[in-house]
């Protein structure tokens, strides 16, 4: 089904549905609904089509289709988790652990957890295959430094690069406000300072 057909279906009038009362001047802003949104999208697509710019019109329809696929997948995931999640916390934990649901919540500033917590969830989501940990995080600057945790792997460069890419992709989904990510070089981890032991200076009794 094309994006235009989908929006047209959403905008189709519903037989027998009561008409909404006209909002008063002091009423709160109307909450978007499928019918109104569908009509607005159709109007925009029609305006682009009248400009006789086929490339722009095709790009707009593709944009609508991509967004609807994204939100459709997110809603499907939410419904699946709501129906299958068990435990004392209910579905909340499963929803917050899910990469797709988290990306939707963060996109609309609805996620209840802060950035540091979501970074931890991102690392947990890939820890079994690609263990990593936070070396330093600057929330104000949006910069994150990571270090590879000991995993007992071969340590070859290709494997390391693939692991870093997987970790960075997870962080980008769970915490898109992180604008810069870097990795701590091997052996860069700070070592504890050595305790310097010297011979005890002579006391007054021994000096005499």
């Amino acid at each position: 089904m094309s994006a235009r057909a989908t929006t047209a279906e959403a905008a189709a009038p519903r037989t027998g549905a009561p008409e909404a009362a006209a909002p008063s001047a002091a009423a709160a802003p109307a909450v978007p609904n499928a019918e109104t949104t569908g009509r607005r999208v159709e109007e925009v697509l029609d305006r682009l089509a009248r400009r006789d710019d086929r490339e722009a019109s095709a790009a707009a329809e593709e944009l609508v289709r991509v967004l609807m696929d994204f939100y459709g997948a997110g809603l499907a995931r939410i419904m699946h988790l709501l129906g299958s999640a068990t435990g004392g916390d209910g579905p909340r934990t499963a929803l917050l652990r899910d990469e797709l649901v988290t990306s939707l919540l963060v996109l609309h500033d609805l996620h209840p957890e802060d950035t540091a917590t979501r970074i931890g969830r991102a690392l947990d989501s890939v820890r079994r295959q690609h263990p990593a940990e936070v070396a330093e995080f600057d929330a104000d600057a949006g910069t994150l430094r990571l270090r590879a945790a000991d995993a007992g792997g071969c340590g070859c460069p290709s494997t390391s690069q693939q692991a870093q890419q997987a970790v960075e992709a997870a962080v980008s989904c769970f915490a898109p406000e992180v604008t810069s990510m870097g990795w701590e070089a091997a052996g860069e981890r700070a070592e504890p300072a050595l305790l310097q032991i010297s011979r005890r200076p002579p006391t007054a009794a021994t000096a005499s």
Side-chain angles (χ1 to χ4, degrees):
M1 181 180 293
S2 67
R4 185 179 291 271
T6 304
T7 53
E9 180 181 351
R14 288 153 178 76
T15 304
E19 294 185 358
S24 63
V31 177
N33 57 57
E35 182 177 355
T36 303
T37 302
R39 287 177 178 173
R40 290 184 61 187
V41 171
E42 279 295 299
E43 290 172 358
V44 173
L45 294 178
D46 287 341
R47 288 204 307 268
L48 288 172
R50 286 195 296 270
R51 293 178 59 184
D52 197 23
D53 189 340
R54 294 184 178 180
E55 184 175 351
S57 181
E61 292 206 23
E62 182 180 1
L63 175 61
V64 173
R65 183 169 53 253
V66 169
L67 288 175
M68 294 190 70
D69 288 345
F70 174 61
Y71 282 97
L75 291 171
R77 186 72 60 82
I78 290 172
M79 294 304 297
H80 170 73
L81 293 174
L82 287 175
S84 60
T86 59
D89 295 335
R92 175 186 170 92
T93 300
L95 290 171
L96 297 184
R97 285 177 179 172
D98 187 84
E99 180 178 302
L100 180 55
V101 175
T102 291
S103 63
L104 283 170
L105 294 174
V106 173
L107 180 62
H108 294 281
D109 198 22
L110 295 173
H111 205 287
E113 297 177 337
D114 60 16
T115 305
T117 302
R118 286 184 278 110
I119 291 174
R121 287 194 182 277
L123 300 182
D124 288 341
S125 71
V126 295
R127 193 176 304 279
R128 183 173 299 179
Q129 294 83 15
H130 311 296
E133 57 191 20
V134 176
E136 183 181 2
F137 173 55
D138 187 333
D140 294 330
T143 57
L144 173 66
R145 292 181 66 212
L146 299 162
R147 70 166 65 99
D150 296 333
C154 65
C156 56
S158 60
T159 303
S160 175
Q161 184 177 9
Q162 292 173 4
Q164 290 181 5
Q165 291 174 349
V167 173
E168 291 172 4
V171 172
S172 296
C173 289
F174 278 87
E177 59 268 49
V178 174
T179 57
S180 175
M181 278 183 278
W183 288 84
E184 192 174 78
E188 190 178 339
R189 185 180 307 190
E191 297 292 340
L194 294 177
L195 177 63
Q196 299 295 329
I197 301 177
S198 60
R199 300 183 64 178
R200 184 178 180 180
T203 64
T206 57
S208 59

